[in-house]
Amino acid sequence: DVKVTQSSRYLVKRTGEKVFLECVQDMDHENMFWYRQDPGLGLRLIYFSYDVKMKEKGDIPEGYSVSREKKERFSLILESASTNQTSMYLCASSLMGRGSTEAFFGQGTRLTVV
Amino acid sequence: QQQVKQSPQSLIVQKGGISIINCAYENTAFDYFPWYQQFPGKGPALLIAIRPDVSEKKEGRFTISFNKSAKQFSLHIMDSQPGDSATYFCAASMLSNTGKLIFGQGTTLQVKP
């Protein structure tokens, strides 16, 4: 069974704090994603990584950065948290191309910035 | 710029009815169109997917209809059940590239008993 594990289900952080969201997958997938989920806006791609140390900006990268030092781990960093970054964050992983790109998602991290 | 547009935002259907959710895309390079289902408190999970070389794919009560010339695809849920109540997302990807998935805005489906 593919497993994508996000380090926290719920987080409360203060404005201006540096926030780290961690994601680990156990299926040797090349691709890893960070999405943000907001009502009415769906899943918006923040960053995408297709290999170790490789990253690509998604639709809404502003205020975020990522790190992928190992294949199984993809971290999302909020450099200086703001209230408009209060949201549900979802990590996913998938194989690169090759017939299907079924993405497996973690349970999500609900982040509240106060 | 929203590359995948999904409608309606919410849908209420009676048990036994047909639920229909529509998506439209802009990038003709997309070559893989999955639908994901999300229950409250869970991450989305793949429900059914289609490639553009076929116009329809059916898995049980779930059917994807695909119209390449119109750049549209839709999910039909036949004989809708209360257990189908969830949020549904369409998505698009380029398998020929890295496989990055772009999602629609989501549709919250409620099936009334």
Side-chain angles (χ1 to χ4, degrees), chain B residues 13 27 37 41 57 70-71 76 82 107-108:
Chain B
V13 173
N27 189 344
Q37 180 187 54
K57 183 173 182 180
K71 294 190 287 184
H76 296 234
T107 298
T108 301

Side-chain angles (χ1 to χ4, degrees), chain A residues 31 35 37 42 48 56 101 103, chain B residues 36 38 95 98 100-101 105:
Chain A
N31 293 340
Y35 292 93
Q37 182 174 9
F48 164 58
E56 186 176 308
T101 57
Chain B
Y36 281 76
Q38 183 183 31
L95 293 184
T98 56
K100 181 172 68 174
L101 272 172
Q105 296 91 329

Side-chain angles (χ1 to χ4, degrees), chain B residues 35-47:
Chain B
W35 285 88
Y36 281 76
Q37 180 187 54
Q38 183 183 31
F39 292 106
K42 303 285 188 183
L46 180 66
L47 180 64

Side-chain angles (χ1 to χ4, degrees), chain B residues 36-82:
Chain B
Y36 281 76
Q37 180 187 54
Q38 183 183 31
F39 292 106
K42 303 285 188 183
L46 180 66
L47 180 64
I48 186 172
I50 197 168
R51 299 292 301 273
D53 51 347
V54 297
S55 60
E56 186 175 283
K57 183 173 182 180
K58 185 175 181 179
E59 289 184 4
R61 296 183 294 108
F62 300 90
T63 300
I64 301 178
S65 297
F66 186 82
N67 185 330
K68 189 173 182 178
S69 60
K71 294 190 287 184
Q72 294 176 348
F73 58 111
S74 60
L75 176 70
H76 296 234
I77 306 174
M78 311 301 286
D79 186 27
S80 298
Q81 299 296 313

